[in-house]
Structures are given as C-alpha cells and as structure tokens.
Amino acid sequence: VAGVSAINSGQIGGRRNILYNGEMKVAQRSTSETGLGAASGYFTLDRWQMLVGATSAGRFTMAQVADGPAGFANCMKFTTTTADTSIAAGEYLLLTQLIEGQDLQQLKKGTASAEQVTVSFWVKGNAAAVYVYELQDVDNNRVIQQSFAVTTSWNRIELTFAADTTGAFGDDNGSSLYINIWLHAGSTYAGGTFASNTWTSITQANRAAVDGFTSIFDATSRTLFITGVQMEIGATATEFEHRTFGEELALCQRYYEKSYEYAVALGTVTYYGMHVAGGSAAGPTGTSFISGNFVEYTQRKRAAATVVFYDQAGNAGKSQRWQLGSHNTNNQNVTNAGSSERGVFPYSSGTSSSSGIQIHFTADAEL
C-alpha cells in the first residue's frame, strides 16, 4: 500500500475516523443560518459548534451546500456578510468539535506509548488564506497547532500531530479534546509566537500567531468550504471513511435529536413525529394534572438531555391537550418531570377535562 510501511501497528479495520459528521451529511437543526457571529452555539451541521469570543462586528452565514471534491456530495460553507477589520484583542471565531474522553483512550495520551494522530480534510475558498488547526486537551490544559493554506480549488490537507506523553484523557463522557479550526483572532490569541506541531501548556497569545493568519471577517467576499474531515491514529492519512447516512445520524443523535421529521424545521405546524405523552387526569394531592408517559429517545444520550417541548402549532415550551371526541387545544402548559439518558417524562398541570397531551421535543446533550 503506497505510503504505508506496516499495517500491524494499529487498527486495520472498523471505524478509523474519531470525528463525527466529517462528510457534512447530517443537519438536524438547519441547513442554513444567517447573521451568525455574536454568540457561540450549534447552528447547522451536527456536532460542529461555533465558538465566539468577545464582541465582533463580523457576521457570517453557515450552510450545508451541495459542493465538494469527487466522492463528497456536501460541504460546510462559511460566507462573510459583515466584515470586521478593526479587531479587538479578545475576539475569536472557532469551528470546533468536542470529543468524549472515553472515545479517545486508544490515543494512549499521557503514556510512553502515546500515538501520533493525523487529520485530513478538503478545503477551498474565494481567495488564498491561512488558518490554524488545533488540538486542545481540556483535561490537562495543553494544545498543539499547525497552520494550513486554502486556495480557490479543492485541496486535501493532511497534518500529522506529535504524540503527547504528558497528561492522560479522562475515561468518561465529558469533553476531553477540542478540535479547533481558528478562523478569526485578536491579539490576545495571535500576538505571540507560533510553535508548529509542539504540545505545550496553553499560552493564549501563541494559539493563532502564525505568519499570514487570515481573518474570515476581513472582507464580505470571504468564503470557506470544508468537508471530508477525519482524524485517525498514525502518521498516514488514509482514504476518508465514508459511513451511511443512517450510521452518521445515529452517532449524532447521541448528542442531539428532535421529534420532528428529519428535514422539518423546529416549530413547524405538524402532527408528524408528535408523541402522545399522557392519558390520565389524576394527580398529586390538591392538584389535577394530565400525567405524562415516559417518552423514549431514538438513541440513548451522552447524559441527561436539556429538553424543549413544542405543541402541534409550533409554540415552544407548550403542549397540546386532547380529549376523545373533541378538538385538540394547543398552547397548554407542560412540565419536564425529569429526563435521563433514555428519555423524558412530561406532564401538563392544572384542572382540566382533557384526557391526554401530545408534544414535539428536542433533546440536547451536546458537550
């Protein structure tokens, strides 16, 4: 096999890509969001979070678009809509993915047998640019960075990161590793000295201090396209590990899922996907309520999820009450009596002749 000197030093088959949704297939929340840049959050493609620091005038659109090199149907596209050429010291914009410690034990980090890892991805833009790819060990406050160049054509970037014999990852469901792509940085993060491919304790000024670093907010014409993101053990970038849509969706639903149909936006007026979550008018002493049934998630969550309920009309934080033989009533109260990794238990309080409730929901257990 070209470029591979041995195949007996690590995993040969099975899952190689440590990252999720690198092919930019899954977008449960939305396929496009505009006016981003004022706050951190998960906005479009699953598992890919935007981290925002300080207040920047820069704004961008984040979208899943039908573009990519051969073999990739989709990519993530950033389009600057408001430039920011007066950058405050504390500003930053990062595209990031957070990985659980229990999914990183094969890296053997913090031992004498620590493994190198190689990241690879496809990128292009409207013009030449330089950005920074960073691995951030949040358990031990350590980082390692390398820069990469973008051109106007699709190019595959391959970066091998040194092994780290200092600081093991926690073996739990908490975030241990941030995969950061620096897209914008003020002097607090870009005013120091860049050390390429060297694990160090975090010195903020050095993290994006590479010569020629490009801010994605430098002009309203700036774009960035990215897809095929992979991280694997070893010093060789292998071909991208394609998964079926169903496999990728199930992996993403460990962190976030919705009751709505896949391509249906939150708050849409629809019965499809609603859960009948109650069927009794008896309640605790002095209070009548429509009791809830346990609503089980499609996939077990990483941890107890934060749940938002919706009624059939799309009102957030509300439920729909129903009664046999009568019209259903929206905009009714609903309470989360408790949620777990498996599901959630809703009920609707107050005196009512209704015989049950129905709900849509989102369940968020992101890192």
Side-chain angles (χ1 to χ4, degrees):
V1 179
V4 179
S5 59
I7 62 172
N8 60 353
S9 59
Q11 181 173 324
I12 299 172
R15 184 179 171 194
R16 291 176 288 104
N17 192 0
I18 296 170
L19 302 183
Y20 297 81
N21 203 22
E23 201 169 351
M24 309 304 174
K25 284 178 180 283
V26 179
Q28 294 186 83
R29 295 173 175 85
S30 173
T31 57
S32 182
E33 292 294 327
T34 62
L36 302 179
S40 300
Y42 291 89
F43 301 108
T44 59
L45 287 138
D46 281 63
R47 302 293 0 267
W48 293 105
Q49 183 185 29
M50 300 308 303
L51 291 180
V52 174
T55 301
S56 170
R59 296 292 181 268
F60 65 96
T61 295
M62 181 183 187
Q64 178 194 50
V65 298
D67 193 357
F72 294 88
N74 297 296
C75 71
M76 183 189 300
K77 180 184 179 182
F78 296 90
T79 304
T80 298
T81 54
T82 302
D84 179 9
T85 55
S86 180
I87 304 172
E91 292 181 20
Y92 62 79
L93 178 68
L94 281 70
L95 171 65
T96 187
Q97 186 167 138
L98 284 62
I99 309 296
E100 297 176 49
Q102 62 191 1
D103 293 335
L104 296 166
Q105 298 305 303
Q106 68 272 33
L107 272 62
K108 307 171 191 173
K109 191 174 182 298
T111 75
S113 303
E115 299 276 3
Q116 294 176 295
V117 295
T118 296
V119 299
S120 54
F121 50 97
W122 291 88
V123 286
K124 72 173 181 178
N126 68 300
V130 175
Y131 300 110
V132 170
Y133 197 110
E134 176 183 73
L135 307 184
Q136 179 184 356
D137 170 5
V138 295
D139 287 337
N140 301 286
N141 199 41
R142 292 171 64 76
V143 290
I144 187 171
Q145 303 96 353
Q146 292 190 55
S147 63
F148 63 93
V150 176
T151 70
T152 55
S153 299
W154 281 111
N155 288 299
R156 193 185 193 206
I157 307 298
E158 299 176 3
L159 304 171
T160 297
F161 287 87
D164 189 15
T165 58
T166 300
F169 291 128
D171 185 22
D172 54 35
N173 67 344
S175 57
S176 287
L177 184 67
Y178 282 29
I179 309 301
N180 298 324
I181 297 178
W182 286 81
L183 302 177
H184 173 76
S187 60
T188 298
Y189 305 97
T193 302
F194 192 74
S196 182
N197 203 21
T198 302
W199 280 101
T200 63
S201 296
I202 292 180
T203 299
Q204 299 290 7
N206 298 341
R207 297 176 71 180
V210 65
D211 290 343
F213 178 77
T214 305
S215 167
I216 200 167
F217 291 142
D218 65 357
T220 55
S221 58
R222 179 69 66 182
T223 61
L224 176 67
F225 302 73
I226 184 168
T227 194
V229 189
Q230 181 156 284
M231 183 173 80
E232 57 194 309
I233 291 177
T236 301
T238 64
E239 288 298 306
F240 183 81
E241 179 192 339
H242 294 273
R243 303 176 192 136
T244 67
F245 180 86
E247 289 172 322
E248 202 71 75
L249 176 61
L251 289 170
C252 292
Q253 284 177 328
R254 172 171 170 78
Y255 302 91
Y256 176 87
E257 74 170 85
K258 62 181 183 180
S259 60
Y260 293 91
E261 299 290 294
Y262 173 76
V264 174
L266 304 184
T268 298
V269 179
T270 179
Y271 281 104
Y272 291 111
M274 289 194 82
H275 289 254
V276 177
S280 171
T285 303
T287 304
S288 294
F289 73 104
I290 311 303
S291 67
N293 297 322
F294 186 74
V295 176
E296 190 168 0
Y297 302 136
T298 301
Q299 297 290 333
R300 184 187 292 269
K301 297 291 166 280
R302 178 191 64 85
T306 298
V307 177
V308 177
F309 297 115
Y310 298 82
D311 65 15
Q312 184 269 341
N315 297 304
K318 299 295 182 178
S319 67
Q320 181 188 65
R321 291 185 183 178
W322 56 270
Q323 185 175 12
L324 185 64
S326 67
H327 184 69
N328 296 323
T329 305
N330 285 302
N331 208 34
Q332 301 299 299
N333 69 67
V334 64
T335 299
N336 182 347
S339 62
S340 69
E341 298 174 7
R342 294 289 303 279
V344 61
F345 198 103
Y347 72 90
S348 185
S349 63
T351 302
S352 173
S353 61
S354 301
S355 56
I357 61 173
Q358 296 185 124
I359 52 144
H360 278 296
F361 70 86
T362 61
D364 188 334
E366 296 282 6
L367 289 158

